[in-house]
Amino acid sequence: MTSLTALALTCSLKPSPAPSSSDLIADQVLTELRTHDVTGDKIRLVDFDIRPGVEPDMGNGDQWPQIRARISEADILLISTPTWLGQMSSVAKRALERLDAELSETDDRGRPVLFDKVAIAAVVGNEDGAHAIVASLFQALNDCGFTIPAQGCTYWNGEAMTPGDYNDLDGIPDAVASTNATVARTAAHLARTLRAQPYPAVQE
């Protein structure tokens, strides 16, 4: 199998080294990806100064360009976010806003630069909202040029209105473990397929 790379953007509101459920489930998905010869790394976005805006570089110390470079190098992008008030975190929304800049960027064949890249998602929270969050994430990521694999998301919802969190569990629930494995399998397959047969350019 051809070796692939993955990058997880964890969108916790907690800076490192605070424990993060979003970080934990991202680690678990990356572990599953490694069984398909996909090497992976993660970035906790809140640790960086990511300026608001929709340009590749907003200047004045903006650290998004270094993250953008890492996204460009990866075959698979994982967005992992907590659920707050039934929505993705503000950090995740900031990442999507910055990815909007890629809509006007093209490669040497005239294609959007994010074509041939795969996007997957992970959502955690002790309240409902995972399906709506994934729907918003996938629409935005697909608009930017990413391709979404079959069953490309994993999530955990705890009991509503209770203090428990995903990183408080003693282990991975069977349903989440199975879903993590499916996400990794379909994402690796799709990324490998797109590498072998990229999307055509308009003139092709």
Side-chain angles (χ1 to χ4, degrees):
M1 291 190 297
T2 305
S3 180
L4 300 169
T5 59
L7 178 67
L9 302 183
T10 60
C11 300
S12 173
L13 301 182
K14 303 172 185 175
S16 300
S20 160
S21 292
S22 300
D23 212 48
L24 175 60
I25 198 167
D27 273 332
Q28 293 167 354
V29 174
L30 291 173
T31 296
E32 289 293 340
L33 282 166
R34 282 194 287 273
T35 69
H36 300 280
D37 198 28
V38 180
T39 59
D41 200 3
K42 62 182 178 176
I43 298 174
R44 194 181 298 199
L45 293 182
V46 76
D47 293 338
F48 294 82
D49 184 1
I50 301 173
R51 300 296 172 91
V54 291
E55 299 295 331
D57 187 346
M58 297 304 298
N60 298 316
D62 181 25
Q63 293 184 295
W64 178 256
Q66 61 187 274
I67 297 167
R68 180 176 182 253
R70 297 282 301 280
I71 294 170
S72 178
E73 294 167 357
D75 300 291
I76 300 169
L77 180 69
L78 166 63
I79 302 287
S80 181
T81 179
T83 305
W84 290 111
L85 299 175
Q87 302 181 54
M88 70 182 81
S89 73
S90 57
V91 177
K93 291 181 180 180
R94 175 69 54 85
L96 294 179
E97 289 168 351
R98 297 306 302 270
L99 282 168
D100 182 79
E102 307 310 316
L103 288 168
S104 59
E105 300 292 323
T106 56
D107 63 15
D108 56 7
R109 294 166 57 195
R111 307 177 314 149
V113 292
L114 296 177
F115 269 29
D116 307 330
K117 295 185 182 296
V118 171
I120 53 179
V123 181
V124 290
N126 58 2
E127 57 180 300
D128 195 11
H131 281 177
I133 289 170
V134 170
S136 295
L137 278 173
F138 280 174
Q139 182 63 61
L141 292 166
N142 186 254
D143 283 349
C144 291
F146 289 96
T147 302
I148 311 302
Q151 297 185 349
C153 72
T154 185
Y155 69 93
W156 177 85
N157 281 144
E159 185 178 355
M161 303 175 72
T162 63
D165 206 352
Y166 188 65
N167 60 6
D168 297 325
L169 302 180
D170 293 331
I172 308 176
D174 290 344
V176 177
S178 175
T179 305
N180 290 351
T182 298
V183 170
R185 184 172 66 254
T186 60
H189 172 79
L190 180 57
R192 202 160 273 118
T193 300
L194 288 171
R195 178 178 285 188
Q197 190 171 0
Y199 288 115
V202 173
Q203 64 270 23
E204 298 171 350

